[in-house]
Amino acid sequence: MIYASRSLYSLLASVLIIGIIGYSLQFTKANADPLAESLQDTYMVAVDGNRKASEQVLKAVESLLHQYPDDPLLTAYYGSALAIKARDTWIPWYRTDFTQQGIDSLNKALSQLSERSYSTPYYGLNEGFYIQSLAAMTFINMPDYFHQSSRGYALLKDIMSSENFQYYPFAPRAWIHFGAVQAALALNNTADASKWAKEMFQLAPTHPMTVEALRITQHIAH
């Protein structure tokens, strides 16, 4: 079984945080439930295992979805948040339910992708790549009995091999490269892990995620 490392979930959190910031600006009239702290700060606490924070974030995103039910980016964020809630839930059948709901939400988000998604700028990339990446990393880290790991990895490989993806600057896509390296290692695909780490080095040798990618792949025989 593949277990999500804290670093990968933290990486996922950073992506979700960026999106939430964008939506907090865009949906200024939305009646999402207020939080004592900012949504992104609360989410970071949830990533570290705080159940109360997890419930607060989920409730806030759910409120936005009631108002914007057909928004694929919000739907993808919701699916990822549900998966993290499943990770933190002790009761097995609740964990199963939350994970399945997360899968359903992510599937919905992926089905909502359109040409517009890939032409809509979003924090240095576009909405389509963000949604695919959130889904891929969430799928990869689900328990084996949900049979999503291979699917998530295939999504990541598609993104990494996309010519359109390569056109974007390294900085806004660094987290996807690093997530792909981590996923390849988790699935024992060392050739892919090594290849993607080398690509990161060629693109940005001193970037912190490049340095970390090289560190975690240094044991691979070349």
Side-chain angles (χ1 to χ4, degrees):
M1 180 181 295
I2 301 172
Y3 292 95
S5 66
R6 169 174 287 195
S7 60
L8 187 52
Y9 266 104
S10 296
L11 193 61
L12 184 60
S14 69
V15 180
L16 181 52
I17 287 165
I18 291 172
I20 287 171
I21 293 171
Y23 272 93
S24 66
L25 295 174
Q26 182 178 350
F27 299 139
T28 53
K29 296 182 180 179
N31 297 315
D33 293 326
L35 300 174
E37 298 179 299
S38 68
L39 190 55
Q40 60 266 30
D41 288 341
T42 308
Y43 188 84
M44 286 302 292
V45 176
V47 168
D48 285 335
N50 186 301
R51 296 182 184 181
K52 182 178 179 180
S54 177
E55 290 292 340
Q56 287 177 314
V57 171
L58 211 54
K59 192 173 182 180
V61 177
E62 199 169 36
S63 291
L64 288 173
L65 272 176
H66 283 311
Q67 298 168 76
Y68 307 95
D70 296 321
D71 188 275
L73 196 56
L74 273 177
T75 303
Y77 287 153
Y78 185 57
S80 296
L82 281 168
I84 292 176
K85 181 175 176 62
R87 178 203 66 180
D88 295 336
T89 300
W90 289 96
I91 303 174
W93 52 90
Y94 283 175
R95 188 180 304 125
T96 299
D97 287 346
F98 289 135
T99 302
Q100 187 58 58
Q101 290 175 43
I103 292 172
D104 293 343
S105 186
L106 289 165
N107 284 339
K108 180 181 177 181
L110 290 170
S111 72
Q112 292 171 323
L113 290 177
S114 63
E115 289 185 11
R116 183 178 179 277
S117 301
Y118 293 97
S119 61
T120 302
Y122 193 74
Y123 288 92
L125 296 173
N126 64 55
E127 288 188 359
F129 282 138
Y130 260 86
I131 291 168
Q132 283 189 312
S133 301
L134 281 172
M137 292 186 190
T138 306
F139 288 149
I140 285 167
N141 286 279
M142 288 178 175
D144 282 349
Y145 57 84
F146 284 99
H147 306 292
Q148 298 298 314
S149 297
S150 296
R151 180 184 178 204
Y153 194 66
L155 270 174
L156 266 182
K157 292 191 74 171
D158 285 345
I159 295 168
M160 294 295 290
S161 62
S162 168
E163 289 186 10
N164 290 334
F165 182 68
Q166 307 304 324
Y167 290 142
Y168 289 98
F170 180 77
R173 59 186 169 102
W175 65 273
I176 301 175
H177 283 260
F178 184 61
V181 172
Q182 286 190 305
L185 289 176
L187 293 169
N188 296 315
N189 292 322
T190 55
D192 284 345
S194 180
K195 179 182 74 173
W196 290 329
K198 288 177 181 177
E199 287 178 3
M200 293 176 74
F201 180 75
Q202 291 169 355
L203 292 167
T206 61
H207 192 283
M209 288 188 180
T210 299
V211 174
E212 182 62 12
L214 293 174
R215 186 190 69 78
I216 64 177
T217 58
Q218 64 184 351
H219 66 283
I220 298 174
H222 299 288

